[in-house]
Amino acid sequence: MDTSESTDSGTEPEAGTEKDAVPAAGPRRGWRRWAMDTRPLRIPAYRRLWSSTIVTAVGSQLTAVAVPKQIYDITGSSAWVGAASMAGLLPLIVFALWGGSLADSMDRRKLLLITNSGIAVTSVLFWLQAVTGLESVAALMLLLAMQQAFWGLNAPARNASIARLVPGEQLAAANALGSTVMQTGQVVGPLLAGALIPVIGLPELYLIDALALCVTLWAVVRLPSLPPLESATPRRAGWREVAAGFRYIALHKVLLLSFLADIIAMVFGMPRALFPQLAAQTYAPYGEGLALGMLFAAIPIGAVVGGLFSGTFSRARRHGWMVIGAVVAWGAAITGFGLSGNLWIGVVFLAAAGVADMVSMVFRGAILLSAATDEMRGRMQGVFTVVVAGGPRLADVLHGTAGSAFGPRTAVAGGGILVVVIMLTLAFTVPALRRYRI
């Protein structure tokens, strides 16, 4: 590790953790060397946190499908669907930043209980408005804003808790486990919602999500207490502390570069805004509906495959080089997708991009947990949540504009090339990231 960038590697046990509960394990042999590294699941506290993620990964996607479907049914307008998406963005950004500050100043388990309860109540309210036939877009947008606010408060505490539950050398494996579950939810959840809506209707989707969140609450209740570690300086939760988090990022180049790597990959290389145009024009001979579904599913499917075989990379110690390589591979795959005129070749390139995105997520997450001190981890995760939420939305604007000006394939390929060039330039002009290791 580059100790000039951080004095906390995240590998030492901390008070209030269950890291000492990890059984010893020998080297993995045969096919197990390639499969997902499940060592963190031997730790009871992490296993409870992860099991709650399994349930919510699918349940949250049911609501994510139900809300735009209901808005479209009420209005018949895709513009209202887009407006609803943006209505949830601002609360997510504001409360993720504040939630990071809260996660550094109070017991993270308590914060998870409060916020998961808030998300569950919001899901119940979604169900009530649907089952009573309210048909109010304003009510749906308000509930969506509430849900995203609670999620913004929840995510930093959940992610920051991982470093208190597993040893530093298992952070990458823990991130791979969590990311694989979330990506699987993005594939299974919408497919399940599509199958259930004609059978049980929209209200029941909201109810299923609410019931699933009760399982999450049970898992969180069984976590150990995760109060702030003893510090000479009392911690508060406020916007001054949020600003201190940004100063901390600016002073620690490896953290700053990990955020920039994600921004570069997503803003310049996420072409999802062009999928409808590509499906209708470039891939129309394959069937517009089939093409559109395959384009949207390819990246998450690739990410799930990458997670299932994460044993091939999760034990790497040069985390910085893994991030650099993953972002460059993402850009190269997106370039290949833009240059391909065959749907199935394009889907293969997008799936390869999904594998690269999984590798990037795993090691960027590990860097944020290991390179930051515990008193800053919540705020780092708050910024991470904002970057993950905001980057693809900026990409939608950029790619939509470039696609209209230059054509969709040119815009996609050009964005992929920019990702490769900018990432390599950044990696070799600022050495902090490529030097970082645990």
Side-chain angles (χ1 to χ4, degrees), residues 87-111:
L89 179 60
L90 182 60
L92 175 63
I93 291 173
V94 171
F95 283 92
L97 294 175
W98 185 45
S101 177
L102 280 172
D104 288 335
S105 64
M106 65 181 290
D107 188 324
R108 289 169 185 161
R109 173 180 171 274
K110 182 178 180 180
L111 182 56

mmCIF file with all atom_site columns, all heavy atoms in Angstrom, residues 87-111:
data_model
loop_
_atom_site.group_PDB
_atom_site.id
_atom_site.type_symbol
_atom_site.label_atom_id
_atom_site.label_alt_id
_atom_site.label_comp_id
_atom_site.label_asym_id
_atom_site.label_entity_id
_atom_site.label_seq_id
_atom_site.pdbx_PDB_ins_code
_atom_site.Cartn_x
_atom_site.Cartn_y
_atom_site.Cartn_z
_atom_site.occupancy
_atom_site.B_iso_or_equiv
_atom_site.pdbx_formal_charge
_atom_site.auth_seq_id
_atom_site.auth_comp_id
_atom_site.auth_asym_id
_atom_site.auth_atom_id
_atom_site.pdbx_PDB_model_num
ATOM 1   N N   . ALA A 1 87  ? -36.911 13.350 -10.064 1.00 0.00 ? 87  ALA A N   1
ATOM 2   C CA  . ALA A 1 87  ? -37.444 13.776 -8.766  1.00 0.00 ? 87  ALA A CA  1
ATOM 3   C C   . ALA A 1 87  ? -36.778 13.027 -7.625  1.00 0.00 ? 87  ALA A C   1
ATOM 4   O O   . ALA A 1 87  ? -36.668 13.539 -6.501  1.00 0.00 ? 87  ALA A O   1
ATOM 5   C CB  . ALA A 1 87  ? -38.956 13.558 -8.719  1.00 0.00 ? 87  ALA A CB  1
ATOM 6   N N   . GLY A 1 88  ? -36.330 11.809 -7.899  1.00 0.00 ? 88  GLY A N   1
ATOM 7   C CA  . GLY A 1 88  ? -35.658 11.040 -6.858  1.00 0.00 ? 88  GLY A CA  1
ATOM 8   C C   . GLY A 1 88  ? -34.174 11.313 -6.757  1.00 0.00 ? 88  GLY A C   1
ATOM 9   O O   . GLY A 1 88  ? -33.535 10.930 -5.771  1.00 0.00 ? 88  GLY A O   1
ATOM 10  N N   . LEU A 1 89  ? -33.590 11.985 -7.768  1.00 0.00 ? 89  LEU A N   1
ATOM 11  C CA  . LEU A 1 89  ? -32.138 12.168 -7.791  1.00 0.00 ? 89  LEU A CA  1
ATOM 12  C C   . LEU A 1 89  ? -31.655 13.163 -6.747  1.00 0.00 ? 89  LEU A C   1
ATOM 13  O O   . LEU A 1 89  ? -30.700 12.892 -6.021  1.00 0.00 ? 89  LEU A O   1
ATOM 14  C CB  . LEU A 1 89  ? -31.687 12.604 -9.191  1.00 0.00 ? 89  LEU A CB  1
ATOM 15  C CG  . LEU A 1 89  ? -30.182 12.861 -9.354  1.00 0.00 ? 89  LEU A CG  1
ATOM 16  C CD1 . LEU A 1 89  ? -29.386 11.598 -9.040  1.00 0.00 ? 89  LEU A CD1 1
ATOM 17  C CD2 . LEU A 1 89  ? -29.880 13.366 -10.762 1.00 0.00 ? 89  LEU A CD2 1
ATOM 18  N N   . LEU A 1 90  ? -32.306 14.335 -6.661  1.00 0.00 ? 90  LEU A N   1
ATOM 19  C CA  . LEU A 1 90  ? -31.854 15.363 -5.721  1.00 0.00 ? 90  LEU A CA  1
ATOM 20  C C   . LEU A 1 90  ? -31.922 14.880 -4.275  1.00 0.00 ? 90  LEU A C   1
ATOM 21  O O   . LEU A 1 90  ? -30.946 15.048 -3.517  1.00 0.00 ? 90  LEU A O   1
ATOM 22  C CB  . LEU A 1 90  ? -32.659 16.651 -5.906  1.00 0.00 ? 90  LEU A CB  1
ATOM 23  C CG  . LEU A 1 90  ? -32.247 17.820 -4.999  1.00 0.00 ? 90  LEU A CG  1
ATOM 24  C CD1 . LEU A 1 90  ? -30.790 18.193 -5.236  1.00 0.00 ? 90  LEU A CD1 1
ATOM 25  C CD2 . LEU A 1 90  ? -33.165 19.023 -5.237  1.00 0.00 ? 90  LEU A CD2 1
ATOM 26  N N   . PRO A 1 91  ? -33.038 14.272 -3.817  1.00 0.00 ? 91  PRO A N   1
ATOM 27  C CA  . PRO A 1 91  ? -33.037 13.750 -2.451  1.00 0.00 ? 91  PRO A CA  1
ATOM 28  C C   . PRO A 1 91  ? -31.952 12.700 -2.221  1.00 0.00 ? 91  PRO A C   1
ATOM 29  O O   . PRO A 1 91  ? -31.347 12.661 -1.143  1.00 0.00 ? 91  PRO A O   1
ATOM 30  C CB  . PRO A 1 91  ? -34.433 13.128 -2.300  1.00 0.00 ? 91  PRO A CB  1
ATOM 31  C CG  . PRO A 1 91  ? -35.265 13.806 -3.320  1.00 0.00 ? 91  PRO A CG  1
ATOM 32  C CD  . PRO A 1 91  ? -34.358 14.101 -4.467  1.00 0.00 ? 91  PRO A CD  1
ATOM 33  N N   . LEU A 1 92  ? -31.699 11.861 -3.221  1.00 0.00 ? 92  LEU A N   1
ATOM 34  C CA  . LEU A 1 92  ? -30.658 10.847 -3.074  1.00 0.00 ? 92  LEU A CA  1
ATOM 35  C C   . LEU A 1 92  ? -29.296 11.507 -2.859  1.00 0.00 ? 92  LEU A C   1
ATOM 36  O O   . LEU A 1 92  ? -28.536 11.110 -1.964  1.00 0.00 ? 92  LEU A O   1
ATOM 37  C CB  . LEU A 1 92  ? -30.624 9.952  -4.308  1.00 0.00 ? 92  LEU A CB  1
ATOM 38  C CG  . LEU A 1 92  ? -29.509 8.907  -4.354  1.00 0.00 ? 92  LEU A CG  1
ATOM 39  C CD1 . LEU A 1 92  ? -29.661 7.912  -3.207  1.00 0.00 ? 92  LEU A CD1 1
ATOM 40  C CD2 . LEU A 1 92  ? -29.496 8.183  -5.690  1.00 0.00 ? 92  LEU A CD2 1
ATOM 41  N N   . ILE A 1 93  ? -28.976 12.522 -3.649  1.00 0.00 ? 93  ILE A N   1
ATOM 42  C CA  . ILE A 1 93  ? -27.681 13.198 -3.531  1.00 0.00 ? 93  ILE A CA  1
ATOM 43  C C   . ILE A 1 93  ? -27.544 13.870 -2.174  1.00 0.00 ? 93  ILE A C   1
ATOM 44  O O   . ILE A 1 93  ? -26.547 13.693 -1.460  1.00 0.00 ? 93  ILE A O   1
ATOM 45  C CB  . ILE A 1 93  ? -27.516 14.222 -4.670  1.00 0.00 ? 93  ILE A CB  1
ATOM 46  C CG1 . ILE A 1 93  ? -27.360 13.508 -6.021  1.00 0.00 ? 93  ILE A CG1 1
ATOM 47  C CG2 . ILE A 1 93  ? -26.310 15.134 -4.407  1.00 0.00 ? 93  ILE A CG2 1
ATOM 48  C CD1 . ILE A 1 93  ? -27.351 14.443 -7.206  1.00 0.00 ? 93  ILE A CD1 1
ATOM 49  N N   . VAL A 1 94  ? -28.554 14.657 -1.796  1.00 0.00 ? 94  VAL A N   1
ATOM 50  C CA  . VAL A 1 94  ? -28.479 15.422 -0.540  1.00 0.00 ? 94  VAL A CA  1
ATOM 51  C C   . VAL A 1 94  ? -28.377 14.496 0.655   1.00 0.00 ? 94  VAL A C   1
ATOM 52  O O   . VAL A 1 94  ? -27.511 14.663 1.539   1.00 0.00 ? 94  VAL A O   1
ATOM 53  C CB  . VAL A 1 94  ? -29.700 16.357 -0.410  1.00 0.00 ? 94  VAL A CB  1
ATOM 54  C CG1 . VAL A 1 94  ? -29.735 16.992 0.980   1.00 0.00 ? 94  VAL A CG1 1
ATOM 55  C CG2 . VAL A 1 94  ? -29.672 17.428 -1.486  1.00 0.00 ? 94  VAL A CG2 1
ATOM 56  N N   . PHE A 1 95  ? -29.239 13.490 0.705   1.00 0.00 ? 95  PHE A N   1
ATOM 57  C CA  . PHE A 1 95  ? -29.282 12.639 1.888   1.00 0.00 ? 95  PHE A CA  1
ATOM 58  C C   . PHE A 1 95  ? -28.155 11.605 1.903   1.00 0.00 ? 95  PHE A C   1
ATOM 59  O O   . PHE A 1 95  ? -27.781 11.127 2.979   1.00 0.00 ? 95  PHE A O   1
ATOM 60  C CB  . PHE A 1 95  ? -30.652 11.968 2.008   1.00 0.00 ? 95  PHE A CB  1
ATOM 61  C CG  . PHE A 1 95  ? -31.712 12.897 2.522   1.00 0.00 ? 95  PHE A CG  1
ATOM 62  C CD1 . PHE A 1 95  ? -32.491 13.635 1.650   1.00 0.00 ? 95  PHE A CD1 1
ATOM 63  C CD2 . PHE A 1 95  ? -31.906 13.061 3.881   1.00 0.00 ? 95  PHE A CD2 1
ATOM 64  C CE1 . PHE A 1 95  ? -33.456 14.510 2.115   1.00 0.00 ? 95  PHE A CE1 1
ATOM 65  C CE2 . PHE A 1 95  ? -32.865 13.931 4.370   1.00 0.00 ? 95  PHE A CE2 1
ATOM 66  C CZ  . PHE A 1 95  ? -33.643 14.668 3.481   1.00 0.00 ? 95  PHE A CZ  1
ATOM 67  N N   . ALA A 1 96  ? -27.596 11.263 0.753   1.00 0.00 ? 96  ALA A N   1
ATOM 68  C CA  . ALA A 1 96  ? -26.420 10.380 0.761   1.00 0.00 ? 96  ALA A CA  1
ATOM 69  C C   . ALA A 1 96  ? -25.224 11.100 1.366   1.00 0.00 ? 96  ALA A C   1
ATOM 70  O O   . ALA A 1 96  ? -24.458 10.515 2.151   1.00 0.00 ? 96  ALA A O   1
ATOM 71  C CB  . ALA A 1 96  ? -26.104 9.915  -0.652  1.00 0.00 ? 96  ALA A CB  1
ATOM 72  N N   . LEU A 1 97  ? -25.051 12.375 1.028   1.00 0.00 ? 97  LEU A N   1
ATOM 73  C CA  . LEU A 1 97  ? -23.942 13.137 1.607   1.00 0.00 ? 97  LEU A CA  1
ATOM 74  C C   . LEU A 1 97  ? -24.140 13.326 3.106   1.00 0.00 ? 97  LEU A C   1
ATOM 75  O O   . LEU A 1 97  ? -23.206 13.152 3.900   1.00 0.00 ? 97  LEU A O   1
ATOM 76  C CB  . LEU A 1 97  ? -23.821 14.492 0.909   1.00 0.00 ? 97  LEU A CB  1
ATOM 77  C CG  . LEU A 1 97  ? -23.407 14.442 -0.567  1.00 0.00 ? 97  LEU A CG  1
ATOM 78  C CD1 . LEU A 1 97  ? -23.444 15.833 -1.186  1.00 0.00 ? 97  LEU A CD1 1
ATOM 79  C CD2 . LEU A 1 97  ? -22.012 13.842 -0.720  1.00 0.00 ? 97  LEU A CD2 1
ATOM 80  N N   . TRP A 1 98  ? -25.351 13.697 3.507   1.00 0.00 ? 98  TRP A N   1
ATOM 81  C CA  . TRP A 1 98  ? -25.623 13.854 4.934   1.00 0.00 ? 98  TRP A CA  1
ATOM 82  C C   . TRP A 1 98  ? -25.587 12.507 5.641   1.00 0.00 ? 98  TRP A C   1
ATOM 83  O O   . TRP A 1 98  ? -25.092 12.392 6.771   1.00 0.00 ? 98  TRP A O   1
ATOM 84  C CB  . TRP A 1 98  ? -26.990 14.515 5.129   1.00 0.00 ? 98  TRP A CB  1
ATOM 85  C CG  . TRP A 1 98  ? -27.302 14.826 6.571   1.00 0.00 ? 98  TRP A CG  1
ATOM 86  C CD1 . TRP A 1 98  ? -26.469 15.399 7.490   1.00 0.00 ? 98  TRP A CD1 1
ATOM 87  C CD2 . TRP A 1 98  ? -28.514 14.544 7.259   1.00 0.00 ? 98  TRP A CD2 1
ATOM 88  N NE1 . TRP A 1 98  ? -27.099 15.511 8.705   1.00 0.00 ? 98  TRP A NE1 1
ATOM 89  C CE2 . TRP A 1 98  ? -28.363 14.997 8.595   1.00 0.00 ? 98  TRP A CE2 1
ATOM 90  C CE3 . TRP A 1 98  ? -29.725 13.982 6.876   1.00 0.00 ? 98  TRP A CE3 1
ATOM 91  C CZ2 . TRP A 1 98  ? -29.381 14.881 9.537   1.00 0.00 ? 98  TRP A CZ2 1
ATOM 92  C CZ3 . TRP A 1 98  ? -30.739 13.873 7.811   1.00 0.00 ? 98  TRP A CZ3 1
ATOM 93  C CH2 . TRP A 1 98  ? -30.562 14.317 9.130   1.00 0.00 ? 98  TRP A CH2 1
ATOM 94  N N   . GLY A 1 99  ? -26.075 11.466 4.973   1.00 0.00 ? 99  GLY A N   1
ATOM 95  C CA  . GLY A 1 99  ? -26.052 10.134 5.567   1.00 0.00 ? 99  GLY A CA  1
ATOM 96  C C   . GLY A 1 99  ? -24.646 9.640  5.818   1.00 0.00 ? 99  GLY A C   1
ATOM 97  O O   . GLY A 1 99  ? -24.388 8.930  6.803   1.00 0.00 ? 99  GLY A O   1
ATOM 98  N N   . GLY A 1 100 ? -23.706 10.005 4.953   1.00 0.00 ? 100 GLY A N   1
ATOM 99  C CA  . GLY A 1 100 ? -22.313 9.654  5.201   1.00 0.00 ? 100 GLY A CA  1
ATOM 100 C C   . GLY A 1 100 ? -21.793 10.297 6.470   1.00 0.00 ? 100 GLY A C   1
ATOM 101 O O   . GLY A 1 100 ? -21.060 9.667  7.254   1.00 0.00 ? 100 GLY A O   1
ATOM 102 N N   . SER A 1 101 ? -22.175 11.553 6.698   1.00 0.00 ? 101 SER A N   1
ATOM 103 C CA  . SER A 1 101 ? -21.779 12.235 7.932   1.00 0.00 ? 101 SER A CA  1
ATOM 104 C C   . SER A 1 101 ? -22.417 11.578 9.151   1.00 0.00 ? 101 SER A C   1
ATOM 105 O O   . SER A 1 101 ? -21.770 11.386 10.189  1.00 0.00 ? 101 SER A O   1
ATOM 106 C CB  . SER A 1 101 ? -22.187 13.715 7.840   1.00 0.00 ? 101 SER A CB  1
ATOM 107 O OG  . SER A 1 101 ? -21.882 14.408 9.023   1.00 0.00 ? 101 SER A OG  1
ATOM 108 N N   . LEU A 1 102 ? -23.689 11.203 9.040   1.00 0.00 ? 102 LEU A N   1
ATOM 109 C CA  . LEU A 1 102 ? -24.354 10.501 10.139  1.00 0.00 ? 102 LEU A CA  1
ATOM 110 C C   . LEU A 1 102 ? -23.679 9.167  10.438  1.00 0.00 ? 102 LEU A C   1
ATOM 111 O O   . LEU A 1 102 ? -23.510 8.788  11.605  1.00 0.00 ? 102 LEU A O   1
ATOM 112 C CB  . LEU A 1 102 ? -25.822 10.254 9.789   1.00 0.00 ? 102 LEU A CB  1
ATOM 113 C CG  . LEU A 1 102 ? -26.804 11.407 9.961   1.00 0.00 ? 102 LEU A CG  1
ATOM 114 C CD1 . LEU A 1 102 ? -28.154 11.025 9.376   1.00 0.00 ? 102 LEU A CD1 1
ATOM 115 C CD2 . LEU A 1 102 ? -26.948 11.771 11.436  1.00 0.00 ? 102 LEU A CD2 1
ATOM 116 N N   . ALA A 1 103 ? -23.293 8.444  9.385   1.00 0.00 ? 103 ALA A N   1
ATOM 117 C CA  . ALA A 1 103 ? -22.668 7.128  9.570   1.00 0.00 ? 103 ALA A CA  1
ATOM 118 C C   . ALA A 1 103 ? -21.339 7.220  10.292  1.00 0.00 ? 103 ALA A C   1
ATOM 119 O O   . ALA A 1 103 ? -20.886 6.227  10.877  1.00 0.00 ? 103 ALA A O   1
ATOM 120 C CB  . ALA A 1 103 ? -22.472 6.449  8.214   1.00 0.00 ? 103 ALA A CB  1
ATOM 121 N N   . ASP A 1 104 ? -20.711 8.390  10.259  1.00 0.00 ? 104 ASP A N   1
ATOM 122 C CA  . ASP A 1 104 ? -19.441 8.579  10.962  1.00 0.00 ? 104 ASP A CA  1
ATOM 123 C C   . ASP A 1 104 ? -19.627 9.122  12.377  1.00 0.00 ? 104 ASP A C   1
ATOM 124 O O   . ASP A 1 104 ? -18.647 9.240  13.120  1.00 0.00 ? 104 ASP A O   1
ATOM 125 C CB  . ASP A 1 104 ? -18.547 9.551  10.173  1.00 0.00 ? 104 ASP A CB  1
ATOM 126 C CG  . ASP A 1 104 ? -17.995 8.927  8.901   1.00 0.00 ? 104 ASP A CG  1
ATOM 127 O OD1 . ASP A 1 104 ? -17.882 7.692  8.859   1.00 0.00 ? 104 ASP A OD1 1
ATOM 128 O OD2 . ASP A 1 104 ? -17.681 9.684  7.962   1.00 0.00 ? 104 ASP A OD2 1
ATOM 129 N N   . SER A 1 105 ? -20.860 9.470  12.763  1.00 0.00 ? 105 SER A N   1
ATOM 130 C CA  . SER A 1 105 ? -21.070 10.114 14.059  1.00 0.00 ? 105 SER A CA  1
ATOM 131 C C   . SER A 1 105 ? -21.975 9.326  14.992  1.00 0.00 ? 105 SER A C   1
ATOM 132 O O   . SER A 1 105 ? -22.129 9.705  16.152  1.00 0.00 ? 105 SER A O   1
ATOM 133 C CB  . SER A 1 105 ? -21.660 11.516 13.851  1.00 0.00 ? 105 SER A CB  1
ATOM 134 O OG  . SER A 1 105 ? -22.935 11.430 13.251  1.00 0.00 ? 105 SER A OG  1
ATOM 135 N N   . MET A 1 106 ? -22.606 8.233  14.509  1.00 0.00 ? 106 MET A N   1
ATOM 136 C CA  . MET A 1 106 ? -23.510 7.468  15.363  1.00 0.00 ? 106 MET A CA  1
ATOM 137 C C   . MET A 1 106 ? -23.340 5.974  15.091  1.00 0.00 ? 106 MET A C   1
ATOM 138 O O   . MET A 1 106 ? -22.629 5.583  14.158  1.00 0.00 ? 106 MET A O   1
ATOM 139 C CB  . MET A 1 106 ? -24.965 7.886  15.113  1.00 0.00 ? 106 MET A CB  1
ATOM 140 C CG  . MET A 1 106 ? -25.490 7.567  13.725  1.00 0.00 ? 106 MET A CG  1
ATOM 141 S SD  . MET A 1 106 ? -27.213 8.098  13.463  1.00 0.00 ? 106 MET A SD  1
ATOM 142 C CE  . MET A 1 106 ? -28.094 6.951  14.524  1.00 0.00 ? 106 MET A CE  1
ATOM 143 N N   . ASP A 1 107 ? -23.961 5.171  15.906  1.00 0.00 ? 107 ASP A N   1
ATOM 144 C CA  . ASP A 1 107 ? -23.916 3.730  15.728  1.00 0.00 ? 107 ASP A CA  1
ATOM 145 C C   . ASP A 1 107 ? -24.513 3.375  14.362  1.00 0.00 ? 107 ASP A C   1
ATOM 146 O O   . ASP A 1 107 ? -25.681 3.670  14.074  1.00 0.00 ? 107 ASP A O   1
ATOM 147 C CB  . ASP A 1 107 ? -24.729 3.063  16.845  1.00 0.00 ? 107 ASP A CB  1
ATOM 148 C CG  . ASP A 1 107 ? -24.586 1.554  16.870  1.00 0.00 ? 107 ASP A CG  1
ATOM 149 O OD1 . ASP A 1 107 ? -24.483 0.950  15.781  1.00 0.00 ? 107 ASP A OD1 1
ATOM 150 O OD2 . ASP A 1 107 ? -24.600 0.972  17.966  1.00 0.00 ? 107 ASP A OD2 1
ATOM 151 N N   . ARG A 1 108 ? -23.715 2.749  13.498  1.00 0.00 ? 108 ARG A N   1
ATOM 152 C CA  . ARG A 1 108 ? -24.183 2.451  12.144  1.00 0.00 ? 108 ARG A CA  1
ATOM 153 C C   . ARG A 1 108 ? -25.319 1.429  12.141  1.00 0.00 ? 108 ARG A C   1
ATOM 154 O O   . ARG A 1 108 ? -26.189 1.470  11.274  1.00 0.00 ? 108 ARG A O   1
ATOM 155 C CB  . ARG A 1 108 ? -23.009 1.976  11.286  1.00 0.00 ? 108 ARG A CB  1
ATOM 156 C CG  . ARG A 1 108 ? -22.039 3.106  10.962  1.00 0.00 ? 108 ARG A CG  1
ATOM 157 C CD  . ARG A 1 108 ? -20.733 2.642  10.355  1.00 0.00 ? 108 ARG A CD  1
ATOM 158 N NE  . ARG A 1 108 ? -19.825 3.782  10.189  1.00 0.00 ? 108 ARG A NE  1
ATOM 159 C CZ  . ARG A 1 108 ? -18.513 3.683  10.028  1.00 0.00 ? 108 ARG A CZ  1
ATOM 160 N NH1 . ARG A 1 108 ? -17.942 2.486  10.002  1.00 0.00 ? 108 ARG A NH1 1
ATOM 161 N NH2 . ARG A 1 108 ? -17.782 4.775  9.881   1.00 0.00 ? 108 ARG A NH2 1
ATOM 162 N N   . ARG A 1 109 ? -25.306 0.516  13.083  1.00 0.00 ? 109 ARG A N   1
ATOM 163 C CA  . ARG A 1 109 ? -26.414 -0.446 13.177  1.00 0.00 ? 109 ARG A CA  1
ATOM 164 C C   . ARG A 1 109 ? -27.711 0.293  13.473  1.00 0.00 ? 109 ARG A C   1
ATOM 165 O O   . ARG A 1 109 ? -28.763 -0.011 12.861  1.00 0.00 ? 109 ARG A O   1
ATOM 166 C CB  . ARG A 1 109 ? -26.119 -1.461 14.276  1.00 0.00 ? 109 ARG A CB  1
ATOM 167 C CG  . ARG A 1 109 ? -27.283 -2.405 14.590  1.00 0.00 ? 109 ARG A CG  1
ATOM 168 C CD  . ARG A 1 109 ? -26.879 -3.379 15.693  1.00 0.00 ? 109 ARG A CD  1
ATOM 169 N NE  . ARG A 1 109 ? -28.024 -4.149 16.172  1.00 0.00 ? 109 ARG A NE  1
ATOM 170 C CZ  . ARG A 1 109 ? -28.850 -3.741 17.125  1.00 0.00 ? 109 ARG A CZ  1
ATOM 171 N NH1 . ARG A 1 109 ? -28.678 -2.549 17.697  1.00 0.00 ? 109 ARG A NH1 1
ATOM 172 N NH2 . ARG A 1 109 ? -29.854 -4.510 17.518  1.00 0.00 ? 109 ARG A NH2 1
ATOM 173 N N   . LYS A 1 110 ? -27.688 1.250  14.377  1.00 0.00 ? 110 LYS A N   1
ATOM 174 C CA  . LYS A 1 110 ? -28.889 2.026  14.710  1.00 0.00 ? 110 LYS A CA  1
ATOM 175 C C   . LYS A 1 110 ? -29.377 2.804  13.494  1.00 0.00 ? 110 LYS A C   1
ATOM 176 O O   . LYS A 1 110 ? -30.586 2.856  13.213  1.00 0.00 ? 110 LYS A O   1
ATOM 177 C CB  . LYS A 1 110 ? -28.591 2.981  15.861  1.00 0.00 ? 110 LYS A CB  1
ATOM 178 C CG  . LYS A 1 110 ? -29.780 3.800  16.317  1.00 0.00 ? 110 LYS A CG  1
ATOM 179 C CD  . LYS A 1 110 ? -29.405 4.686  17.501  1.00 0.00 ? 110 LYS A CD  1
ATOM 180 C CE  . LYS A 1 110 ? -30.611 5.516  17.964  1.00 0.00 ? 110 LYS A CE  1
ATOM 181 N NZ  . LYS A 1 110 ? -30.254 6.384  19.124  1.00 0.00 ? 110 LYS A NZ  1
ATOM 182 N N   . LEU A 1 111 ? -28.435 3.391  12.748  1.00 0.00 ? 111 LEU A N   1
ATOM 183 C CA  . LEU A 1 111 ? -28.806 4.139  11.553  1.00 0.00 ? 111 LEU A CA  1
ATOM 184 C C   . LEU A 1 111 ? -29.430 3.223  10.507  1.00 0.00 ? 111 LEU A C   1
ATOM 185 O O   . LEU A 1 111 ? -30.406 3.596  9.831   1.00 0.00 ? 111 LEU A O   1
ATOM 186 C CB  . LEU A 1 111 ? -27.579 4.848  10.983  1.00 0.00 ? 111 LEU A CB  1
ATOM 187 C CG  . LEU A 1 111 ? -27.796 5.730  9.750   1.00 0.00 ? 111 LEU A CG  1
ATOM 188 C CD1 . LEU A 1 111 ? -28.851 6.793  10.009  1.00 0.00 ? 111 LEU A CD1 1
ATOM 189 C CD2 . LEU A 1 111 ? -26.478 6.378  9.326   1.00 0.00 ? 111 LEU A CD2 1
#
